[in-house]
Amino acid sequence: MLSEQDHSVPDALVAALADIERHVSRSGWDQPARLFALVRTDELIRNEPSLAEHLSVGAPDGLSSVEQEDFHAGERLDQTLAGIAWPASVAGCAIAFEHATVPPEYEHELPQDPHEASLFVARHPHRVDIRLVAGALRDGSQYGLGRVVSNPDDLVGGPEFVPALTKALWETLR
């Protein structure tokens, strides 16, 4: 179930991210990061008529996701994203990836060194594994979703759910 969304975020973006999360979840957990271009469905059908039977145009501003099969997140996702640029035909982009964290009450224990922090989280008895799906559109709209492995029936999100990640995605569109 999605949390209440900010009405300034286009429904098409939220719907596309939820669709990506459903698509990715079919393959289970322990997956690498996956990158998607978001394109206007009506434009995609106009440019690729053979796809029409596989796509449905709901709202006039509907979005379809196109997975970037050759994407590899590398050691630092932020650096990898900084090297990406999209053509003008791409209305937005999204990423799905898994992340481990600790509950807020343990964050003060995190080591400053990124490698040590990663080891700390991986070994922590209260570690939380989450699948994040975040996206941004050229107009600046941004949204993030998350599903926790221990609570798979709930999908939560919002425009400020993963702000650093959605900003990094938006930067790839500029």
Side-chain angles (χ1 to χ4, degrees):
M1 122 165 109
L2 288 174
S3 61
E4 188 175 320
Q5 65 174 306
D6 179 346
H7 294 290
S8 65
V9 176
D11 290 340
L13 176 58
V14 178
L17 297 179
D19 187 52
I20 289 169
E21 200 286 328
R22 277 190 300 277
H23 169 73
V24 170
S25 70
R26 288 186 200 118
S27 298
W29 291 88
D30 299 322
Q31 297 182 55
R34 295 166 71 173
L35 184 68
F36 299 83
L38 298 177
V39 295
R40 300 278 178 218
T41 303
D42 58 349
E43 290 178 24
L44 182 60
I45 291 172
R46 194 170 32 259
N47 293 330
E48 298 288 338
S50 63
L51 296 176
E53 67 186 60
H54 304 287
L55 301 169
S56 63
V57 179
D61 64 345
L63 296 167
S64 292
S65 59
V66 179
E67 186 165 2
Q68 306 303 294
E69 301 283 339
D70 59 346
F71 176 73
H72 300 287
E75 289 282 322
R76 299 228 5 229
L77 182 58
D78 59 337
Q79 289 178 350
T80 302
L81 290 176
I84 294 175
W86 297 97
S89 59
V90 172
C93 60
I95 193 163
F97 74 101
E98 295 173 14
H99 179 70
T101 189
V102 292
E105 62 267 25
Y106 299 104
E107 288 178 354
H108 71 279
E109 298 175 21
L110 283 169
Q112 292 296 317
D113 177 74
H115 179 69
E116 289 179 25
S118 178
L119 291 174
F120 174 84
V121 170
R123 296 176 180 148
H124 200 279
H126 299 288
R127 177 179 115 176
V128 177
D129 292 311
I130 185 169
R131 176 180 300 119
L132 298 170
V133 180
L137 299 178
R138 287 193 186 276
D139 69 3
S141 301
Q142 302 170 16
Y143 203 84
L145 298 172
R147 185 178 307 276
V148 178
V149 71
S150 62
N151 198 6
D153 293 334
D154 289 339
L155 185 61
V156 298
E160 295 295 324
F161 192 66
V162 283
L165 180 58
T166 54
K167 183 176 187 280
L169 289 168
W170 181 72
E171 290 288 336
T172 69
L173 297 163
R174 295 181 64 193

